[in-house]
Structures are given as structure tokens and as C-alpha cells.
């Protein structure tokens, strides 16, 4: 099938199939045309990366809150704990958000018992999501945030701040604290309707306000050292202070 000019979703649908089966894809590179046979399999996108930094400080970066993220986050925590982690930095900078149930599961793993987030409709009727007392983080933590940390990222940051289990470092988050629903219309258009709002454990409304950091640090790029990260350096300073208390 020639997919030249075809809608991306339609093209992907032709390529997808049962795991273990094969599909032949014809590629063109300039004047060269070649066939590539690909075996289909399920791919879990890596949304969490982690590593151990100096002084046994663990670092976990969360790119989004997808179906696989809670398990990947749990795996990262377990691996770093097994390596002797004494403090933790969670990086949710530039994380646009994702699934509510996923961020709730992740917070349940690190929070003490209590409300994680409440979702209220226009009548003020709230649905509360709670953490149990089975697991909680027992090392100092800092969470990196910025203006592109939105929605589920703000739920994460707000809960950490309200419970005082970590220090927020960076700049104020985006400020998207609403739940929206797409309603299909007969003419194949959609209406996006706001149906509820998020509130932090202490009842703070995130929308159009965002979450302010405990330690405000603007990112400054270093042309001589592209790998330099002054916000991460500030987060490491914060957890080291707690370790040295």
C-alpha cells in the first residue's frame, strides 16, 4: 500500500499488527529505495530515567505521566534504594502532565497517609484521592520544577510541598489545574468542556496560579559547559543541607 501523503494515524494503523508477526516497510532515501522487514512487538516508552549521583544522591527524571510511568518510577526507587540512596532529586521540569491515576499511584508510594489531590466539579462536589500508610519516602528529597511543569506535574509538586516531604526548586509551574473532556459533535468537530478542577491536599487551586518553588532558581545556560545545570546544583545543595543537619 502506498502511504505517500496519507494521514499519519492511517499509516500507523497499516503498520500495526499482532505481536510476533512481520511487516515489510519500503523506505526511500533520496534516490535509494529499500525494503525492511520488521517484527512487530509491544514497545513501552521510557518515561523515567534514573542514576545515582555523588554522595549517594539518587536522581529520577520523569518526562510524562503515562500508563507505564508508575511502574518505571517504582523500579527506579527500588534500584536506587538498593544502591544505598541517602537522598533523592525528582526532576519534573518540562513535564506536561498525563494521567491522574498514574501520578496518584506515584505519590501514594512516597507520601504519608492522607489526601493526595481532590477533584471538584462546578457544584463543589469533590472526589478525593488518598495515600495509604503502606509506603512512604524516608530520605530527604528535592523536586525540580519550571514553567513547563503542568497538570499532573503540578499535582505531584503541590502534594510534596503541602506534606513538607521535599523542597521544590526552580521556577513557578505552568498553572493548569482543570480537567477537560472532549465531546464529539455530529459534524465531526469537538467541544472541549471544562468539567472540574484540581486542588492540592491543603486545598490550593492550581489553575492559572501554578505551584511556587520553595527555592527559586532561574535556569542559566553555560555555553562553555552544555551539561551544566545550575537548578540541579541548587537541588543537590538543598538535600545536602538536610543530610548534614
Amino acid at each position: 500500500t502506498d502511504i505517500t501523503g496519507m494521514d499519519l494515524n492511517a499509516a500507523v494503523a497499516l503498520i500495526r499488527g499482532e505481536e510476533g508477526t512481520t511487516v515489510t516497510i519500503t523506505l526511500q532515501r533520496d534516490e535509494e529505495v529499500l525494503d525492511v522487514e520488521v517484527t512487530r512487538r509491544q514497545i513501552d516508552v521510557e518515561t523515567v530515567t534514573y542514576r545515582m549521583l555523588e554522595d549517594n544522591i539518587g536522581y529520577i527524571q520523569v518526562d510524562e505521566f503515562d500508563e507505564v510511568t508508575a511502574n518505571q518510577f517504582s523500579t527506579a526507587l527500588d534500584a536506587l534504594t538498593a544502591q544505598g540512596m541517602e537522598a533523592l532529586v525528582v526532576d519534573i521540569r518540562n513535564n506536561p502532565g498525563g494521567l491522574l491515576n498514574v501520578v496518584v499511584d506515584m505519590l501514594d508510594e512516597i507520601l504519608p497517609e492522607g489526601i493526595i489531590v481532590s477533584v471538584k466539579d462546578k457544584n463543589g462536589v469533590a472526589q478525593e484521592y488518598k495515600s495509604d500508610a503502606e509506603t512512604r519516602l524516608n530520605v530527604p528529597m528535592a523536586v525540580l520544577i519550571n514553567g513547563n511543569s503542568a497538570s499532573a506535574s503540578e499535582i505531584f509538586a503541590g502534594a510534596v510541598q503541602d506534606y513538607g516531604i521535599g523542597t521544590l526548586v526552580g521556577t513557578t509551574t505552568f498553572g493548569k489545574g482543570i480537567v477537560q473532556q472532549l465531546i464529539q459533535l455530529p459534524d465531526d468537530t469537538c467541544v472541549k468542556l471544562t468539567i472540574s478542577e484540581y486542588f492540592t491536599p491543603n486545598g490550593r487551586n492550581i489553575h492559572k496560579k501554578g505551584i511556587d518553588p520553595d527555592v527559586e532558581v532561574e535556569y542559566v545556560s553555560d555555553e562553555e559547559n552544555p551539561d551544566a545545570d545550575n537548578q540541579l546544583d541548587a537541588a543537590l545543595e538543598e538535600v545536602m543541607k538536610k543530610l548534614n543537619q
Side-chain angles (χ1 to χ4, degrees):
T1 301
D2 185 0
I3 64 172
T4 304
M6 184 181 291
D7 175 77
L8 177 60
N9 290 330
V12 169
L14 289 174
I15 296 171
R16 282 179 175 160
E18 184 179 349
E19 187 168 15
T21 62
T22 60
V23 60
T24 300
I25 303 174
T26 301
L27 306 176
Q28 181 172 349
R29 297 172 181 161
D30 296 324
E31 301 301 321
E32 183 185 11
V33 177
L34 63 157
D35 290 339
V36 178
E37 187 175 80
V38 178
T39 301
R40 297 180 174 103
R41 65 184 178 92
Q42 182 172 326
I43 303 296
D44 287 336
V45 177
E46 187 177 63
T47 61
V48 174
T49 53
Y50 65 93
R51 63 182 186 273
M52 188 71 82
L53 305 178
E54 292 182 4
D55 300 310
N56 287 329
I57 300 175
Y59 171 83
I60 300 177
Q61 182 177 27
V62 184
D63 293 331
E64 61 182 307
F65 296 90
D66 204 349
E67 289 93 343
V68 297
T69 307
N71 284 337
Q72 292 178 0
F73 182 73
S74 181
T75 297
L77 278 177
D78 290 345
L80 291 169
T81 300
Q83 294 174 42
M85 177 176 68
E86 296 179 16
L88 174 65
V89 174
V90 177
D91 189 348
I92 52 173
R93 290 175 295 179
N94 304 313
N95 182 326
L99 301 175
L100 175 62
N101 65 299
V102 170
V103 68
V104 165
D105 287 346
M106 293 166 63
L107 285 166
D108 187 15
E109 191 161 1
I110 64 174
L111 290 180
E113 186 175 5
I115 295 172
I116 295 174
V117 63
S118 59
V119 183
K120 296 182 182 179
D121 65 18
K122 66 178 181 180
N123 298 316
V125 177
Q127 180 179 2
E128 295 180 341
Y129 297 83
K130 297 182 178 181
S131 171
D132 58 34
E134 290 183 11
T135 58
R136 61 179 298 176
L137 190 70
N138 58 6
V139 297
M141 177 173 65
V143 178
L144 285 165
I145 56 174
N146 65 9
N148 293 321
S149 304
S151 193
S153 289
E154 295 172 285
I155 291 173
F156 189 96
V160 166
Q161 191 175 59
D162 280 4
Y163 279 99
I165 66 164
T167 303
L168 304 187
V169 178
T171 54
T172 302
T173 61
F174 184 82
K176 183 184 185 297
I178 55 176
V179 181
Q180 294 173 306
Q181 184 178 39
L182 289 176
I183 300 174
Q184 187 78 33
L185 299 179
D187 62 353
D188 289 333
T189 61
C190 289
V191 172
K192 183 181 285 187
L193 184 67
T194 299
I195 58 173
S196 53
E197 294 179 293
Y198 295 128
F199 291 82
T200 72
N202 287 350
R204 291 186 291 161
N205 188 334
I206 299 169
H207 197 55
K208 294 186 178 179
K209 300 174 185 177
I211 301 292
D212 292 328
D214 300 305
V215 178
E216 185 168 7
V217 181
E218 293 279 352
Y219 176 74
V220 179
S221 61
D222 185 342
E223 294 182 359
E224 296 183 1
N225 182 12
D227 294 329
D229 188 339
N230 66 303
Q231 289 179 323
L232 175 57
D233 291 342
L236 295 174
E237 287 180 18
E238 291 302 314
V239 294
M240 285 301 297
K241 288 179 188 176
K242 294 179 181 179
L243 285 174
N244 293 329
Q245 285 179 350

